[in-house]
Amino acid sequence: MTAQSRSHSGDVHVGPLPHLDGPTVTTPMFDFGHSQAEFGIQLGGIVTFDGPAGTGKTTTATVTAAESKIRFVYTKLRHGARTKETAEALFAALHPHEALRDRTKERQLIADCTDALMAGNVGVIADEVHRIGLPGMLLLCSVWDDVKNQTGRGFPLFLVGCNVHSAIATVEELDTRILARANFHPLAVDDVLPVVQAMNTRCAATPESRLAQVDKLWARGNLRRWRTFMNITNIDPNKANEPVSVDEIKAFLIRQGQTLKNAKLT
């Protein structure tokens, strides 16, 4: 769908939208988050995606961005990144062919980012924003505010992370600027099994009761964990349409550090 994001410095990734691992299967959370994101694109507003890791936040934001007619850039920063690092990452995403060495001041970086976004037809996904905390989110929102004040319209800005809503609620300056919000959570077993079966031919051939045991013992409704399970059980192409066996599941769970002493896999 899109090119892989490039590493900027340390645990920082900027540039094109991230590559998605496998096909996208919709869930009620995906559908709602997708509609919220589309609303943000339509109005040039700030949209938040909040929930635990592996629940589909980045996938939903990325799919919606890729489907839109505007160009989206992507940033994901390391834990504890300072505001200048946030500004540097945004600059690098918006100016992929320009060096940072001549831009040593945070104020200049912000001004250059604002100028690029004022040109229009650009959106930003800021992933894992809990890593940069309120100062980083405030900086991104201040850039959005500057663009809106000068052009009369902001740009689509997706803030993606864990506990985003509770953090934003403590700062009215942020909270009042959010256009739309989407909450994500692990799926209940009755919801996750059809999704898993639609994503993978081996899972589609496996009895639901067996998959339910995998979810109870390890995956617990987390789609990222289920993708790991599917990737490993798909290693042998000769088994592409065969059910995942009990022995394969046991071997997988043991590799994941699970104790199976009292587990009854059938």
Side-chain angles (χ1 to χ4, degrees), residues 205-216:
T206 303
E208 285 194 357
S209 59
R210 193 175 300 168
L211 296 175
Q213 290 169 324
V214 175
D215 194 66
K216 179 180 179 180

Side-chain angles (χ1 to χ4, degrees), residues 39-70:
F39 190 52
I41 292 171
Q42 180 184 359
L43 297 183
I46 303 173
V47 182
T48 53
F49 301 76
D50 184 9
T55 52
K57 305 182 302 296
T58 301
T59 295
T60 304
T62 299
V63 168
T64 314
E67 291 174 350
S68 74
K69 295 181 180 180
I70 70 171

Side-chain angles (χ1 to χ4, degrees), residues 189 192-193 208-222 225-226 229 245-246 248-266:
V189 65
V192 78
L193 294 188
E208 285 194 357
S209 59
R210 193 175 300 168
L211 296 175
Q213 290 169 324
V214 175
D215 194 66
K216 179 180 179 180
L217 291 169
W218 184 72
R220 295 188 287 277
N222 187 295
R225 290 190 173 214
W226 271 112
F229 175 80
S245 69
V246 170
E248 285 179 286
I249 291 174
K250 286 181 177 179
F252 172 84
L253 292 174
I254 289 170
R255 281 196 296 270
Q256 300 302 321
Q258 299 299 301
T259 301
L260 304 179
K261 184 183 297 184
N262 298 318
K264 294 181 179 180
L265 291 167
T266 58

Side-chain angles (χ1 to χ4, degrees), residues 104-214:
T104 58
K105 296 186 182 298
E106 183 178 313
R107 183 178 300 177
Q108 182 60 54
L109 288 164
I110 294 172
D112 288 344
C113 291
T114 302
D115 288 344
L117 290 161
M118 282 176 57
N121 208 39
V122 182
V124 176
I125 296 179
D127 203 359
E128 309 285 10
V129 291
H130 53 276
R131 294 181 177 183
I132 62 176
L134 287 171
M137 286 191 279
L138 279 165
L139 182 144
L140 293 170
C141 287
S142 72
V143 172
W144 181 88
D145 224 21
D146 288 344
V147 172
K148 186 175 188 300
N149 288 337
Q150 295 184 58
T151 66
R153 177 185 172 88
F155 59 92
L157 171 60
F158 296 169
L159 301 178
V160 184
C162 304
N163 301 315
V164 174
H165 293 158
S166 59
I168 287 176
T170 65
V171 182
E172 188 173 4
E173 183 179 350
L174 275 174
D175 199 41
T176 56
R177 282 169 169 76
I178 306 304
L179 173 70
R181 307 165 199 250
N183 287 298
F184 291 76
H185 51 78
L187 293 168
V189 65
D190 290 340
D191 293 324
V192 78
L193 294 188
V195 171
V196 168
Q197 290 176 318
M199 292 171 67
N200 182 264
T201 56
R202 294 205 68 193
C203 288
T206 303
E208 285 194 357
S209 59
R210 193 175 300 168
L211 296 175
Q213 290 169 324
V214 175

Side-chain angles (χ1 to χ4, degrees), residues 1-4 17-25 56 58-60 62-63 195-196 198-200 223-234:
M1 181 180 294
T2 53
Q4 182 71 32
L17 298 179
H19 173 73
L20 296 178
D21 184 16
T24 300
V25 178
T58 301
T59 295
T60 304
T62 299
V63 168
V195 171
V196 168
M199 292 171 67
N200 182 264
L223 289 174
R224 185 178 298 169
R225 290 190 173 214
W226 271 112
R227 286 186 186 277
T228 299
F229 175 80
M230 288 183 278
N231 288 340
I232 291 177
T233 54
N234 271 355

